[in-house]
Each structure stands twice: as structure tokens, then as C-alpha cells.
Amino acid sequence: MSIDTPPITPQQYEVLHGGGAEAAEIAKQRLSRRRFLRRSMLVVWGLSTTAAVAGSLAMLYPNLAGQFGSAITVGTKSQFPAAKPSDYKFNQAGVFYVQEAKTYLSHMAAGTPLLLSGSALSDQLTSELIVKDKDGSLWVAIYQRCVHLGCTFAFRDDCVSFKCPCHGSHYNVDGEYLDGPAPRSADRFALSFSGDSVVVDTGTLKNSVPHPDASTRIIPVPSVQCSA
Ligand code: FES
């Protein structure tokens, strides 16, 4: 119903209530009611528009503090003990699932064999959002979502690497691509420390790490094959 259309017209009112001078007076009153109604509707429209804009802004800039989409303190460093990649054990050593951040936290021990060194290594660590801690260990927060078609991949103790159950994309402990249909290495979130706490910024995703080659691969390919 338009704001110019009263619930019934004066003519309709006549038919319903008998017409005459009384009807003319009623029609006059209805005209002023229409003006009142129009103004009221404009006020309502204004309030609704304001509420809609506020709602849109809230959707665009939601208050996500501590929730997925924001920086999340996932625990203290001691909750995520480092290990060499060949010794990773899910949720016990080197690799830990952090549900609130939808992230696998990978913590490679100091002394982990690396394929790069010097500035080539530090540049590659930076470009893959891998953080070197002061004890020499390496941290990376790997987003759980497979970059092929979006399935959640799993860590496999049998082959100390991540493997996607959907079409077999396979990623190393640092998220680097190993094989399968994934078009790039696994995506990762920015990671930092606040004192002894580990912070994963799930609002900052690096989703552009290409397949590694001999000049960019950081961690050797695992020596064991996945059982299936
Ligand atoms: S969605 Fe993971 S391999 Fe296809």
C-alpha cells in the first residue's frame, strides 16, 4: 500500500456508511489524516533507513574481537611444544588444531633441517608468514581450508603432513604444497606474540603462496608416504 492511499477511499467510505454532508466532513478529515499518515510514514522510513544503514555498517565492520575474523590469542607458547617435522604428532608435538581460529598451528623446532639459508631463507619466511621465534623455532598458522575446493584438510601422523580427504591435496608441515590438485600452498594467517601468548590474526590471510620450487621450498619433503 502506498503512503498516498488510505486504507479505504472516501468514496468507498460513502458506500459503506451512507454518504451526504457527514460523508463530506469525514472525507475532509481523511485528507488531513492522509497528510498525518504521510508524515508519519516519512518518519518511519527515515528511522528504518537509519537502522538499515547502521545494520549494514555493523555487518561491514562487525565487532569481532576475540572471534574468527579478528586477532585471537590462542594460548601460551608452552601449550604448543615444538618438534622437528619428522617427529610431529597431532595435538602433541609440533602441530596443534586451534578450533576458534580454524587453524593448524605448526611449531618447528630450532634445528629443523631447512633447505634455504641466509637472506633467501628470511625472505621466504616473511613471504610465507612463518615467524622465527627468539629460540630459533619457527611458527606458522595454517588455515584449515584446502585451497583446491575448500574442504577441511587433516594432519596425518602416518606421513607427517596435511592431506585433504576430498581430492588428495597434500601440504607439508609449513603449509607448502607437496602434490595434488591444489593450485598453491595452503593459506596462512598472520601470527605474532604478545609476551608469552600466541596471537593468530584470522583477519589477515595470506592466500597467495605459490607452489614451491627449488629456490623457494623451505622444508624438505617428508620421507614417508601417506598410507592412502
Ligand atoms: S578440496 Fe582439497 S583436494 Fe580438493
Side-chain angles (χ1 to χ4, degrees):
M1 186 189 309
S2 136
I3 59 172
D4 286 327
T5 307
I8 58 171
T9 65
Q11 290 77 8
Q12 290 166 331
Y13 191 92
E14 285 300 305
V15 171
L16 288 172
H17 295 271
E22 188 186 348
E25 181 56 31
I26 289 168
K28 229 169 90 186
Q29 287 175 15
R30 290 193 70 91
L31 280 172
S32 54
R33 281 182 54 207
R34 276 167 62 180
R35 274 188 218 109
F36 171 76
L37 188 62
R38 187 182 296 134
R39 283 193 195 121
S40 303
M41 294 293 281
L42 281 171
V43 170
V44 169
W45 177 83
L47 290 172
S48 312
T49 303
T50 305
V53 169
S56 301
L57 285 173
M59 282 177 65
L60 285 171
Y61 305 103
N63 180 8
L64 293 173
Q67 298 176 39
F68 188 71
S70 71
I72 301 173
T73 299
V74 296
T76 57
K77 290 181 183 180
S78 59
Q79 291 175 253
F80 310 108
K84 292 193 174 162
S86 55
D87 297 330
Y88 268 33
K89 220 168 183 38
F90 185 57
N91 278 344
Q92 293 176 43
V95 58
F96 303 86
Y97 181 62
V98 182
Q99 185 164 18
E100 66 267 35
K102 304 184 192 303
T103 293
Y104 292 103
L105 210 54
S106 179
H107 187 193
M108 295 160 267
T112 288
L114 303 176
L115 297 170
L116 303 177
S117 59
S119 61
L121 174 61
S122 50
D123 290 351
Q124 197 59 33
L125 292 177
T126 302
S127 80
E128 295 195 22
L129 292 189
I130 299 175
V131 177
K132 188 168 192 172
D133 205 348
K134 48 183 188 256
D135 65 357
S137 64
L138 301 173
W139 297 79
V140 60
I142 301 167
Y143 184 25
Q144 67 181 14
R145 187 169 172 269
C146 180
V147 299
H148 178 223
L149 293 176
C151 292
T152 297
F153 53 72
F155 187 79
R156 298 272 301 265
D157 286 346
D158 62 324
C159 48
V160 285
S161 50
F162 299 97
K163 185 131 184 175
C164 181
C166 292
H167 316 100
S169 287
H170 190 196
Y171 310 92
N172 210 342
V173 294
D174 57 352
E176 284 184 338
Y177 171 87
L178 289 169
D179 51 74
R184 61 180 185 273
S185 292
D187 296 341
R188 60 277 320 279
F189 295 118
L191 180 146
S192 61
F193 307 118
S194 173
D196 207 31
S197 297
V198 182
V199 179
V200 175
D201 183 357
T202 57
T204 304
L205 181 71
K206 174 98 179 189
N207 59 358
S208 56
V209 178
H211 287 175
D213 59 26
S215 68
T216 60
R217 188 182 292 283
I218 297 173
I219 305 289
V221 172
S223 56
V224 280
Q225 300 282 317
C226 297
S227 53

PDB file of all heavy atoms in Angstrom, residues 9-11 13-14 17-35:
ATOM      1  N   THR A   9     -10.832   4.577   0.384  1.00  0.00           N
ATOM      2  CA  THR A   9     -11.022   5.934  -0.144  1.00  0.00           C
ATOM      3  C   THR A   9     -12.300   6.528   0.449  1.00  0.00           C
ATOM      4  O   THR A   9     -13.157   5.792   0.967  1.00  0.00           O
ATOM      5  CB  THR A   9     -11.177   5.894  -1.673  1.00  0.00           C
ATOM      6  OG1 THR A   9     -12.379   5.185  -1.955  1.00  0.00           O
ATOM      7  CG2 THR A   9      -9.977   5.231  -2.325  1.00  0.00           C
ATOM      8  N   PRO A  10     -12.473   7.890   0.358  1.00  0.00           N
ATOM      9  CA  PRO A  10     -13.748   8.494   0.806  1.00  0.00           C
ATOM     10  C   PRO A  10     -14.932   7.879   0.079  1.00  0.00           C
ATOM     11  O   PRO A  10     -15.987   7.664   0.670  1.00  0.00           O
ATOM     12  CB  PRO A  10     -13.567   9.970   0.451  1.00  0.00           C
ATOM     13  CG  PRO A  10     -12.085  10.183   0.509  1.00  0.00           C
ATOM     14  CD  PRO A  10     -11.496   8.902   0.003  1.00  0.00           C
ATOM     15  N   GLN A  11     -14.789   7.600  -1.216  1.00  0.00           N
ATOM     16  CA  GLN A  11     -15.891   7.008  -1.974  1.00  0.00           C
ATOM     17  C   GLN A  11     -16.290   5.657  -1.392  1.00  0.00           C
ATOM     18  O   GLN A  11     -17.471   5.348  -1.215  1.00  0.00           O
ATOM     19  CB  GLN A  11     -15.490   6.828  -3.457  1.00  0.00           C
ATOM     20  CG  GLN A  11     -15.368   8.121  -4.233  1.00  0.00           C
ATOM     21  CD  GLN A  11     -14.070   8.873  -3.933  1.00  0.00           C
ATOM     22  OE1 GLN A  11     -13.179   8.366  -3.256  1.00  0.00           O
ATOM     23  NE2 GLN A  11     -13.987  10.110  -4.424  1.00  0.00           N
ATOM     24  N   TYR A  13     -15.831   4.783   1.545  1.00  0.00           N
ATOM     25  CA  TYR A  13     -16.442   5.061   2.854  1.00  0.00           C
ATOM     26  C   TYR A  13     -17.914   5.391   2.697  1.00  0.00           C
ATOM     27  O   TYR A  13     -18.767   4.960   3.480  1.00  0.00           O
ATOM     28  CB  TYR A  13     -15.697   6.231   3.522  1.00  0.00           C
ATOM     29  CG  TYR A  13     -16.089   6.395   4.963  1.00  0.00           C
ATOM     30  CD1 TYR A  13     -15.383   5.775   5.974  1.00  0.00           C
ATOM     31  CD2 TYR A  13     -17.206   7.171   5.311  1.00  0.00           C
ATOM     32  CE1 TYR A  13     -15.746   5.920   7.300  1.00  0.00           C
ATOM     33  CE2 TYR A  13     -17.575   7.329   6.631  1.00  0.00           C
ATOM     34  CZ  TYR A  13     -16.842   6.703   7.628  1.00  0.00           C
ATOM     35  OH  TYR A  13     -17.232   6.846   8.932  1.00  0.00           O
ATOM     36  N   GLU A  14     -18.247   6.188   1.618  1.00  0.00           N
ATOM     37  CA  GLU A  14     -19.637   6.544   1.325  1.00  0.00           C
ATOM     38  C   GLU A  14     -20.488   5.306   1.127  1.00  0.00           C
ATOM     39  O   GLU A  14     -21.586   5.197   1.675  1.00  0.00           O
ATOM     40  CB  GLU A  14     -19.715   7.396   0.049  1.00  0.00           C
ATOM     41  CG  GLU A  14     -19.273   8.830   0.221  1.00  0.00           C
ATOM     42  CD  GLU A  14     -20.140   9.516   1.253  1.00  0.00           C
ATOM     43  OE1 GLU A  14     -21.373   9.510   1.090  1.00  0.00           O
ATOM     44  OE2 GLU A  14     -19.584  10.020   2.238  1.00  0.00           O
ATOM     45  N   HIS A  17     -21.007   3.770   4.505  1.00  0.00           N
ATOM     46  CA  HIS A  17     -21.666   4.459   5.614  1.00  0.00           C
ATOM     47  C   HIS A  17     -22.796   5.389   5.211  1.00  0.00           C
ATOM     48  O   HIS A  17     -23.287   6.140   6.043  1.00  0.00           O
ATOM     49  CB  HIS A  17     -20.628   5.260   6.404  1.00  0.00           C
ATOM     50  CG  HIS A  17     -19.619   4.379   7.072  1.00  0.00           C
ATOM     51  ND1 HIS A  17     -19.803   3.874   8.335  1.00  0.00           N
ATOM     52  CD2 HIS A  17     -18.443   3.888   6.633  1.00  0.00           C
ATOM     53  CE1 HIS A  17     -18.755   3.127   8.655  1.00  0.00           C
ATOM     54  NE2 HIS A  17     -17.919   3.118   7.631  1.00  0.00           N
ATOM     55  N   GLY A  18     -23.264   5.449   3.969  1.00  0.00           N
ATOM     56  CA  GLY A  18     -24.482   6.176   3.617  1.00  0.00           C
ATOM     57  C   GLY A  18     -24.294   7.541   3.007  1.00  0.00           C
ATOM     58  O   GLY A  18     -25.260   8.147   2.584  1.00  0.00           O
ATOM     59  N   GLY A  19     -23.196   8.216   2.957  1.00  0.00           N
ATOM     60  CA  GLY A  19     -22.941   9.446   2.199  1.00  0.00           C
ATOM     61  C   GLY A  19     -23.499  10.682   2.841  1.00  0.00           C
ATOM     62  O   GLY A  19     -23.752  10.740   4.040  1.00  0.00           O
ATOM     63  N   GLY A  20     -23.680  11.824   1.972  1.00  0.00           N
ATOM     64  CA  GLY A  20     -24.218  13.089   2.444  1.00  0.00           C
ATOM     65  C   GLY A  20     -23.136  13.991   3.019  1.00  0.00           C
ATOM     66  O   GLY A  20     -21.941  13.755   2.846  1.00  0.00           O
ATOM     67  N   ALA A  21     -23.596  15.097   3.760  1.00  0.00           N
ATOM     68  CA  ALA A  21     -22.685  16.096   4.314  1.00  0.00           C
ATOM     69  C   ALA A  21     -21.714  15.461   5.308  1.00  0.00           C
ATOM     70  O   ALA A  21     -20.548  15.817   5.392  1.00  0.00           O
ATOM     71  CB  ALA A  21     -23.481  17.188   4.998  1.00  0.00           C
ATOM     72  N   GLU A  22     -22.263  14.520   6.057  1.00  0.00           N
ATOM     73  CA  GLU A  22     -21.411  13.847   7.042  1.00  0.00           C
ATOM     74  C   GLU A  22     -20.226  13.153   6.349  1.00  0.00           C
ATOM     75  O   GLU A  22     -19.088  13.206   6.788  1.00  0.00           O
ATOM     76  CB  GLU A  22     -22.252  12.826   7.793  1.00  0.00           C
ATOM     77  CG  GLU A  22     -21.511  12.226   8.965  1.00  0.00           C
ATOM     78  CD  GLU A  22     -22.314  11.100   9.601  1.00  0.00           C
ATOM     79  OE1 GLU A  22     -23.499  10.948   9.288  1.00  0.00           O
ATOM     80  OE2 GLU A  22     -21.723  10.380  10.403  1.00  0.00           O
ATOM     81  N   ALA A  23     -20.566  12.563   5.183  1.00  0.00           N
ATOM     82  CA  ALA A  23     -19.519  11.882   4.426  1.00  0.00           C
ATOM     83  C   ALA A  23     -18.486  12.875   3.927  1.00  0.00           C
ATOM     84  O   ALA A  23     -17.280  12.584   3.931  1.00  0.00           O
ATOM     85  CB  ALA A  23     -20.136  11.127   3.250  1.00  0.00           C
ATOM     86  N   ALA A  24     -18.962  14.090   3.494  1.00  0.00           N
ATOM     87  CA  ALA A  24     -18.017  15.109   3.013  1.00  0.00           C
ATOM     88  C   ALA A  24     -17.073  15.515   4.132  1.00  0.00           C
ATOM     89  O   ALA A  24     -15.861  15.677   3.937  1.00  0.00           O
ATOM     90  CB  ALA A  24     -18.771  16.324   2.489  1.00  0.00           C
ATOM     91  N   GLU A  25     -17.629  15.673   5.363  1.00  0.00           N
ATOM     92  CA  GLU A  25     -16.801  16.046   6.501  1.00  0.00           C
ATOM     93  C   GLU A  25     -15.777  14.945   6.813  1.00  0.00           C
ATOM     94  O   GLU A  25     -14.608  15.200   7.068  1.00  0.00           O
ATOM     95  CB  GLU A  25     -17.707  16.292   7.722  1.00  0.00           C
ATOM     96  CG  GLU A  25     -16.981  16.725   8.982  1.00  0.00           C
ATOM     97  CD  GLU A  25     -16.123  17.966   8.798  1.00  0.00           C
ATOM     98  OE1 GLU A  25     -16.464  18.826   7.972  1.00  0.00           O
ATOM     99  OE2 GLU A  25     -15.066  18.049   9.457  1.00  0.00           O
ATOM    100  N   ILE A  26     -16.284  13.749   6.759  1.00  0.00           N
ATOM    101  CA  ILE A  26     -15.385  12.609   7.018  1.00  0.00           C
ATOM    102  C   ILE A  26     -14.267  12.583   5.991  1.00  0.00           C
ATOM    103  O   ILE A  26     -13.103  12.351   6.299  1.00  0.00           O
ATOM    104  CB  ILE A  26     -16.188  11.292   7.006  1.00  0.00           C
ATOM    105  CG1 ILE A  26     -17.072  11.250   8.254  1.00  0.00           C
ATOM    106  CG2 ILE A  26     -15.269  10.085   6.962  1.00  0.00           C
ATOM    107  CD1 ILE A  26     -18.112  10.157   8.236  1.00  0.00           C
ATOM    108  N   ALA A  27     -14.667  12.880   4.684  1.00  0.00           N
ATOM    109  CA  ALA A  27     -13.656  12.879   3.630  1.00  0.00           C
ATOM    110  C   ALA A  27     -12.577  13.921   3.920  1.00  0.00           C
ATOM    111  O   ALA A  27     -11.384  13.688   3.729  1.00  0.00           O
ATOM    112  CB  ALA A  27     -14.313  13.153   2.280  1.00  0.00           C
ATOM    113  N   LYS A  28     -13.057  15.126   4.430  1.00  0.00           N
ATOM    114  CA  LYS A  28     -12.092  16.180   4.763  1.00  0.00           C
ATOM    115  C   LYS A  28     -11.119  15.700   5.848  1.00  0.00           C
ATOM    116  O   LYS A  28      -9.915  15.870   5.767  1.00  0.00           O
ATOM    117  CB  LYS A  28     -12.854  17.421   5.276  1.00  0.00           C
ATOM    118  CG  LYS A  28     -12.425  18.712   4.605  1.00  0.00           C
ATOM    119  CD  LYS A  28     -13.377  19.825   4.958  1.00  0.00           C
ATOM    120  CE  LYS A  28     -12.919  20.527   6.211  1.00  0.00           C
ATOM    121  NZ  LYS A  28     -13.885  21.516   6.673  1.00  0.00           N
ATOM    122  N   GLN A  29     -11.706  15.079   6.849  1.00  0.00           N
ATOM    123  CA  GLN A  29     -10.859  14.583   7.942  1.00  0.00           C
ATOM    124  C   GLN A  29      -9.867  13.545   7.432  1.00  0.00           C
ATOM    125  O   GLN A  29      -8.728  13.484   7.850  1.00  0.00           O
ATOM    126  CB  GLN A  29     -11.736  13.954   9.029  1.00  0.00           C
ATOM    127  CG  GLN A  29     -12.489  15.005   9.840  1.00  0.00           C
ATOM    128  CD  GLN A  29     -13.444  14.342  10.824  1.00  0.00           C
ATOM    129  OE1 GLN A  29     -13.341  13.149  11.086  1.00  0.00           O
ATOM    130  NE2 GLN A  29     -14.381  15.113  11.326  1.00  0.00           N
ATOM    131  N   ARG A  30     -10.347  12.766   6.467  1.00  0.00           N
ATOM    132  CA  ARG A  30      -9.467  11.718   5.947  1.00  0.00           C
ATOM    133  C   ARG A  30      -8.291  12.337   5.227  1.00  0.00           C
ATOM    134  O   ARG A  30      -7.173  11.836   5.285  1.00  0.00           O
ATOM    135  CB  ARG A  30     -10.228  10.785   5.010  1.00  0.00           C
ATOM    136  CG  ARG A  30     -11.226   9.911   5.717  1.00  0.00           C
ATOM    137  CD  ARG A  30     -11.709   8.811   4.799  1.00  0.00           C
ATOM    138  NE  ARG A  30     -10.666   7.840   4.546  1.00  0.00           N
ATOM    139  CZ  ARG A  30     -10.487   6.759   5.298  1.00  0.00           C
ATOM    140  NH1 ARG A  30     -11.250   6.552   6.338  1.00  0.00           N
ATOM    141  NH2 ARG A  30      -9.528   5.915   5.023  1.00  0.00           N
ATOM    142  N   LEU A  31      -8.563  13.506   4.522  1.00  0.00           N
ATOM    143  CA  LEU A  31      -7.466  14.176   3.822  1.00  0.00           C
ATOM    144  C   LEU A  31      -6.393  14.605   4.819  1.00  0.00           C
ATOM    145  O   LEU A  31      -5.205  14.411   4.604  1.00  0.00           O
ATOM    146  CB  LEU A  31      -7.989  15.380   3.037  1.00  0.00           C
ATOM    147  CG  LEU A  31      -8.638  15.019   1.695  1.00  0.00           C
ATOM    148  CD1 LEU A  31      -9.290  16.260   1.091  1.00  0.00           C
ATOM    149  CD2 LEU A  31      -7.635  14.420   0.737  1.00  0.00           C
ATOM    150  N   SER A  32      -6.849  15.199   5.965  1.00  0.00           N
ATOM    151  CA  SER A  32      -5.828  15.617   6.926  1.00  0.00           C
ATOM    152  C   SER A  32      -5.177  14.395   7.564  1.00  0.00           C
ATOM    153  O   SER A  32      -3.997  14.394   7.871  1.00  0.00           O
ATOM    154  CB  SER A  32      -6.392  16.567   7.977  1.00  0.00           C
ATOM    155  OG  SER A  32      -7.483  16.003   8.583  1.00  0.00           O
ATOM    156  N   ARG A  33      -5.926  13.337   7.718  1.00  0.00           N
ATOM    157  CA  ARG A  33      -5.308  12.103   8.234  1.00  0.00           C
ATOM    158  C   ARG A  33      -4.260  11.588   7.263  1.00  0.00           C
ATOM    159  O   ARG A  33      -3.230  11.064   7.653  1.00  0.00           O
ATOM    160  CB  ARG A  33      -6.376  11.029   8.449  1.00  0.00           C
ATOM    161  CG  ARG A  33      -7.154  11.245   9.752  1.00  0.00           C
ATOM    162  CD  ARG A  33      -8.164  10.167   9.990  1.00  0.00           C
ATOM    163  NE  ARG A  33      -7.595   8.838   9.945  1.00  0.00           N
ATOM    164  CZ  ARG A  33      -8.275   7.756   9.610  1.00  0.00           C
ATOM    165  NH1 ARG A  33      -9.544   7.844   9.286  1.00  0.00           N
ATOM    166  NH2 ARG A  33      -7.716   6.587   9.598  1.00  0.00           N
ATOM    167  N   ARG A  34      -4.589  11.774   5.946  1.00  0.00           N
ATOM    168  CA  ARG A  34      -3.613  11.315   4.948  1.00  0.00           C
ATOM    169  C   ARG A  34      -2.303  12.061   5.088  1.00  0.00           C
ATOM    170  O   ARG A  34      -1.217  11.485   4.990  1.00  0.00           O
ATOM    171  CB  ARG A  34      -4.158  11.497   3.532  1.00  0.00           C
ATOM    172  CG  ARG A  34      -5.021  10.341   3.110  1.00  0.00           C
ATOM    173  CD  ARG A  34      -5.797  10.636   1.883  1.00  0.00           C
ATOM    174  NE  ARG A  34      -4.952  10.896   0.721  1.00  0.00           N
ATOM    175  CZ  ARG A  34      -5.477  11.178  -0.468  1.00  0.00           C
ATOM    176  NH1 ARG A  34      -6.780  11.259  -0.613  1.00  0.00           N
ATOM    177  NH2 ARG A  34      -4.697  11.384  -1.484  1.00  0.00           N
ATOM    178  N   ARG A  35      -2.439  13.421   5.312  1.00  0.00           N
ATOM    179  CA  ARG A  35      -1.205  14.195   5.486  1.00  0.00           C
ATOM    180  C   ARG A  35      -0.426  13.692   6.700  1.00  0.00           C
ATOM    181  O   ARG A  35       0.784  13.507   6.668  1.00  0.00           O
ATOM    182  CB  ARG A  35      -1.538  15.675   5.657  1.00  0.00           C
ATOM    183  CG  ARG A  35      -1.675  16.353   4.328  1.00  0.00           C
ATOM    184  CD  ARG A  35      -1.803  17.858   4.467  1.00  0.00           C
ATOM    185  NE  ARG A  35      -2.754  18.331   3.488  1.00  0.00           N
ATOM    186  CZ  ARG A  35      -3.974  18.781   3.747  1.00  0.00           C
ATOM    187  NH1 ARG A  35      -4.383  18.898   4.975  1.00  0.00           N
ATOM    188  NH2 ARG A  35      -4.773  19.152   2.779  1.00  0.00           N
TER     189      ARG A  35
END
